[in-house]
Amino acid sequence: MIKSVGFDLDNTLCDQTVHILSFLRDAAKWLSCETGFSDARIYHVFKDILIRRTPAYKHLFDDALDALNIPKGRYVNELIDKYHCHRGGIELYPGTRQILECLYKTKQLFLITDGHSGMQRMKVEQLAISQYFAVQIFTGGFDKSWTKPSVLAYESAASKIGVKTADCIFVGDNPCRDFDGAHRIGMKTIRVLTGPYAKLSSIELNLADYTIETLSELNNTLQLITR
């Protein structure tokens, strides 16, 4: 019996790309004032690298400044700091709040998200979803051994809720990160085909037990699993 349902945050509950593009627009305007380069040109370069490399790419700012022939100097670190504080352009996928409200009535819910812990906490606050989760784990607040696909966050969530890992199911979007750790401790997994990883398919990837097109299919899938 599934007693607890866990969720990834970015590209599972909300569109991370919308959030990043919102920041890149602001960053392009700021960098334009700093350097005299056209903000439209800067944004175009930012966006092109983001789309080609996906949000997981760690060197977007380095590559963009190199492409624009802007000396990186202090700009990369300042852009990263500004990104971690950015509050605009984030919203739940359609129907997500209703799904969380429905599940909240019958299951213990938990959230596991990688990334800068302050930024991820701010996203949860902006989305106004904290009340649905019995446990929230921001792996960026720990050392790197907690980052998915490590088992540590999954084990901690189940322990804090007080359920067996075999009675949990985890929902995520990224087959490279979201499912292996959960599988290793006996959790079932559901992959939702949203975000930049939706088209990833390879026998080398750690694929989920179940796959759904959008979160709107989640309740029906859970009912099938528990029959």
Side-chain angles (χ1 to χ4, degrees):
M1 180 179 179
I2 301 301
K3 297 179 180 178
S4 182
V5 181
F7 292 90
D8 170 56
L9 179 61
D10 292 318
N11 303 312
T12 299
L13 300 179
C14 62
D15 191 336
Q16 183 186 23
T17 300
V18 170
H19 176 70
I20 297 175
L21 288 175
S22 170
F23 169 71
L24 294 181
R25 290 186 191 95
D26 289 351
K29 292 175 183 177
W30 171 78
L31 198 57
S32 175
C33 292
E34 290 285 315
T35 64
F37 283 78
S38 161
D39 62 324
R41 171 62 177 158
I42 295 170
Y43 177 70
H44 174 78
V45 173
F46 278 158
K47 183 178 179 181
D48 177 65
I49 296 171
L50 173 67
I51 299 303
R52 285 190 292 107
R53 293 289 197 168
T54 81
Y57 187 58
K58 303 296 185 183
H59 301 289
L60 185 154
F61 300 134
D62 300 87
D63 289 4
L65 294 176
D66 284 342
L68 292 160
N69 292 316
I70 296 175
K72 285 182 282 193
R74 66 181 176 87
Y75 292 128
V76 169
N77 288 337
E78 193 157 353
L79 283 166
I80 292 171
D81 289 342
K82 287 179 179 296
Y83 174 55
H84 289 160
C85 296
H86 182 66
R87 297 186 64 90
I90 187 168
E91 57 187 31
L92 295 171
Y93 284 122
T96 296
R97 186 172 305 280
Q98 290 83 351
I99 291 165
L100 292 176
E101 287 178 349
C102 181
L103 287 174
Y104 173 75
K105 296 174 184 176
T106 59
K107 310 290 184 187
Q108 293 270 52
L109 306 185
F110 63 92
L111 180 75
I112 298 176
T113 178
D114 290 339
H116 186 275
S117 59
M119 178 176 66
Q120 297 304 91
R121 288 180 186 277
M122 191 161 54
K123 288 179 184 177
V124 171
E125 176 187 335
Q126 284 185 263
L127 293 168
I129 56 174
S130 182
Q131 68 272 21
Y132 300 119
F133 299 104
V135 172
Q136 300 175 47
I137 297 179
F138 302 90
T139 66
F142 302 93
D143 62 50
K144 291 183 178 180
S145 67
W146 280 72
T147 302
K148 292 182 287 186
S150 167
V151 303
L152 294 178
Y154 301 96
E155 289 177 329
S156 177
S159 175
K160 288 179 178 179
I161 290 173
V163 296
K164 297 177 181 178
T165 55
D167 294 332
C168 299
I169 196 160
F170 188 77
V171 184
D173 70 288
N174 188 344
C176 300
R177 287 188 171 272
D178 287 334
F179 310 125
D180 184 56
H183 280 157
R184 280 186 278 146
I185 58 171
M187 287 187 183
K188 293 287 191 296
T189 55
I190 296 177
R191 180 186 180 189
V192 58
L193 298 178
T194 46
Y197 310 106
K199 295 182 179 180
L200 284 181
S201 60
S202 168
I203 58 173
E204 297 178 359
L205 297 175
N206 295 299
L207 300 181
D209 297 301
Y210 306 89
T211 300
I212 56 179
E213 293 286 336
T214 68
L215 277 182
S216 63
E217 301 172 33
L218 181 57
N219 284 330
N220 288 339
T221 303
L222 290 174
Q223 289 174 12
L224 290 173
I225 294 169
T226 55
R227 281 180 181 173

